Amino acid sequence: MDQPPLEILRVDARAGRHASFTLHGAGASSGIAIGYAHLVSTARLEVPQYEIAPEEVDQEIERFDSAVAQVRGEFVGLRASVPASAPAELGAFLDLHRMILDDSMLSESPRELIRTRRCNAELALVQQMDMLLARFEAIEDAYLRERKADVRQVVERVLKAMLGSGHAPPAPAHEENVVVVAHDFSPADMILFKQHQFAGFVTDLGGVTSHTAIVARSLGLPAIVGLHHARQLIRENELVIVDGAEGVLIVNPDERVLAEYRLKQSALQIERQKLRRLITAPASTLDGTPIELQANIELPDDVGAALDAGASGVGLFRTEFLFLNRDDLPGEDEQFEAYCSAVEAMRDRPVTIRTLDLGADKTLNGADRGGPNPALGLRAIRFCFAEPQMFLTQLRAILRASAFGKVRLLIPMLAHAHEIELVLQYLQQARDTLQAMGIPYDHELEVGGMIEIPAAALAVPLFIKRLDFLSIGTNDLIQYTLAIDRTDDMVAHLYDPLHPGVLQLVAGTIRTAIKSGKPVAVCGEMAGEVAYTRLLLGLGLRQFSMHPAQLLAVKQQVLRSDLPEAEALASRILRAEDPEKIRQLLGRLNA
């Protein structure tokens, strides 16, 4: 790897390790993790990264060459086995993959990386793949851009050959002591964390409201994003401290610092245990106003955490995570089983199921990210309209699950009233199909819409006439209002939930819904931030939905809140124009 600047990183020659140093990023998930660094590649947890001893370099290059030769042989064999009657495209496809394999960036450059940086062959190959994919991104021709998938497939073949050689180090034996360090993770990668018990994670890229950070919060893992150089500066198995609240990463801490953070970690654990006493307490303000605290989930297995935190329902089931980390689409029966298991597990508590919100940073395997600007492209309900059979399959599965409990349907990224009409037409078509087959479903299924586009927030009266309830997605609403990509750490610091324009849109949506007698919730990250609980209460919000890990802290804030005081200060905050004044008033509100 590139040698970092000496003023940033020093080598302790006597100890044979890096001296202690600190990196600063954005705290994505609070808490403190103390563990040993485990470096992973950009997008694949299963690909190891480790340093090669000088005497092992030639052997590692030989291992790489052997894997490339093996895959080349596989292509030759496959090409020879193609029958003369087969379509010409099949042979051309194999020829293309062989050409990609023989490209010097994949077959030669990794050898140089292994020799100069003494990194393992898998890491060298993935880094070269990333560079090659970046070149494809710059190509204007859409067909050529799509060949990125072919590059990945070829690399995966070589990786499979190398990982099968038995040379790679085993996975960490004690995951609870492991801090995962990566350049970046996709939402699909983060879902893989649910299968592990890591202590925490840090990434070079990302913002605090990216889906990567959101899933980290759902796991209750201390996390930092936007560190820029962590993967370059940190070595495998180095001791690190992750302070998720402050966004501070300490590498090779001395004994004094380590002892200090162990005390902080113990204090946080004691505080969490105290919060658990609130699980059975009804959520209400000091004057007795009841507040609904529901949970956001990504997978049916998350229901256990929601119930364990005392959630009164599921306010957001992000169904797109059922579609990630796979090469096929889940069928109607598979989706039905997933939705039904969540509905039955919630024991008659409401479950709000959101239709697919694919696109932007969440895509199907091998799919293009949705145009030159994915956040503004073919995503969410627009993507569903473009894939009507997929959409109808999901609607039928949700309707079938509604026969087994209280289900509500939530439509993401609505911008036009006619989109609601089209959704209702598809929904009726799905109902008719089930009716004809004699399959039961809830004929009174409620349909709601997410308010996450400024145009929708400004036109709420048009939407509310056609919908049964609203849910404010503050993550995207803030992103679109402020024209800030929330996954881009270069501008993530400009992401501001307290911007006067954002507050006016949130307050106006809540006010209009209340006036119309329609339920309204906030299911974005603002709902799980204790700093904003009293502000939202003061704006009239009575239903919050957040990740289970955040629920008890928000409940504690609700129980301590004086509603009249919150309403008075929230009104003053709405009238304030100066950002500093807004933060002063918020401080008074939370005092």
Side-chain angles (χ1 to χ4, degrees), residues 320-394:
E320 57 273 10
F321 286 90
L322 295 172
F323 289 69
L324 303 180
N325 293 320
R326 56 189 299 163
D327 296 320
D328 60 342
L329 296 175
E332 181 180 328
D333 288 342
E334 182 182 345
Q335 290 189 58
F336 161 69
E337 292 292 340
Y339 306 145
C340 193
S341 66
V343 170
E344 290 183 324
M346 286 305 295
R347 307 164 194 164
D348 293 325
R349 301 178 195 185
V351 176
T352 302
I353 302 177
R354 184 177 71 183
T355 58
L356 282 170
D357 190 6
L358 287 170
D361 63 345
K362 292 175 293 183
T363 59
L364 297 174
N365 278 8
D368 189 71
R369 294 184 66 243
N373 193 336
L376 302 180
L378 193 66
R379 59 166 295 199
I381 194 59
R382 303 169 184 174
F383 182 76
C384 289
F385 289 156
E387 300 287 344
Q389 292 308 313
M390 182 188 69
F391 189 38
L392 284 167
T393 297
Q394 182 175 42

Side-chain angles (χ1 to χ4, degrees), residues 95-151:
D95 291 339
L96 172 63
H97 277 213
R98 186 174 175 181
M99 288 172 60
I100 292 172
L101 178 65
D102 290 335
D103 187 284
S104 61
M105 284 193 70
L106 296 183
S107 62
E108 295 295 332
S109 297
R111 303 172 87 252
E112 187 63 23
L113 287 179
I114 295 170
R115 191 174 298 283
T116 59
R117 301 186 183 182
R118 290 199 285 114
C119 60
N120 61 301
E122 291 89 351
L123 173 59
L125 179 59
V126 168
Q127 287 187 338
Q128 287 303 115
M129 179 190 72
D130 290 342
M131 291 179 62
L132 189 56
L133 292 179
R135 293 188 181 183
F136 274 91
E137 284 285 357
I139 298 174
E140 293 185 4
D141 185 273
Y143 174 80
L144 291 177
R145 259 202 328 271
E146 289 174 4
R147 301 285 65 78
K148 291 182 299 181
D150 295 297
V151 173

Side-chain angles (χ1 to χ4, degrees), residues 290-562:
I291 306 298
E292 288 285 324
L293 299 181
Q294 300 188 344
N296 297 344
I297 66 173
E298 279 83 36
L299 296 170
D301 290 346
D302 298 338
V303 167
L307 291 171
D308 191 49
S312 61
V314 170
L316 176 62
F317 185 161
R318 294 185 171 102
T319 60
E320 57 273 10
F321 286 90
L322 295 172
F323 289 69
L324 303 180
N325 293 320
R326 56 189 299 163
D327 296 320
D328 60 342
L329 296 175
E332 181 180 328
D333 288 342
E334 182 182 345
Q335 290 189 58
F336 161 69
E337 292 292 340
Y339 306 145
C340 193
S341 66
V343 170
E344 290 183 324
M346 286 305 295
R347 307 164 194 164
D348 293 325
R349 301 178 195 185
V351 176
T352 302
I353 302 177
R354 184 177 71 183
T355 58
L356 282 170
D357 190 6
L358 287 170
D361 63 345
K362 292 175 293 183
T363 59
L364 297 174
N365 278 8
D368 189 71
R369 294 184 66 243
N373 193 336
L376 302 180
L378 193 66
R379 59 166 295 199
I381 194 59
R382 303 169 184 174
F383 182 76
C384 289
F385 289 156
E387 300 287 344
Q389 292 308 313
M390 182 188 69
F391 189 38
L392 284 167
T393 297
Q394 182 175 42
L395 290 176
R396 289 194 301 269
I398 294 172
L399 281 168
R400 288 169 60 187
S402 71
F404 294 85
K406 177 63 176 176
V407 172
R408 304 195 308 169
L409 182 70
L410 182 61
I411 310 301
M413 204 179 175
L414 291 169
H416 306 275
H418 70 78
E419 291 172 331
I420 302 174
E421 302 294 345
L422 188 53
V423 167
L424 296 177
Q425 290 175 25
Y426 278 116
L427 186 60
Q428 188 57 51
Q429 187 176 339
R431 286 184 178 127
D432 291 344
T433 300
L434 296 182
Q435 189 80 23
M437 298 174 67
I439 298 176
Y441 63 90
D442 181 6
H443 291 256
E444 303 300 322
L445 178 77
E446 294 183 349
V447 179
M450 288 195 72
I451 303 299
E452 48 190 342
I453 295 177
L458 293 169
V460 166
L462 296 177
F463 287 69
I464 216 158
K465 293 176 184 177
R466 299 165 170 83
L467 296 168
D468 298 306
F469 65 95
L470 299 179
S471 190
I472 305 173
T474 52
N475 305 341
D476 274 336
L477 182 62
I478 296 168
Q479 169 176 252
Y480 292 135
T481 301
L482 301 182
I484 291 169
D485 183 349
R486 58 193 176 96
T487 67
D488 184 352
D489 63 295
M490 299 300 292
V491 295
H493 64 284
L494 299 173
Y495 182 95
D496 184 10
L498 296 177
H499 187 286
V502 171
L503 292 180
Q504 290 295 334
L505 292 176
V506 172
T509 301
I510 295 172
R511 185 168 53 245
T512 303
I514 293 172
K515 186 177 179 180
S516 302
K518 297 289 180 71
V520 59
V522 168
C523 64
E525 290 303 293
M526 276 188 80
E529 289 285 344
V530 172
Y532 304 132
T533 300
R534 288 177 178 165
L535 172 59
L536 292 171
L537 288 172
L539 296 178
L541 189 70
R542 300 295 179 263
Q543 183 176 320
F544 297 67
S545 189
M546 68 209 76
H547 285 294
Q550 302 166 309
L551 197 144
L552 291 177
V554 171
K555 178 185 276 192
Q556 179 175 257
Q557 187 78 330
V558 168
L559 293 171
R560 296 173 174 175
S561 294
D562 181 302

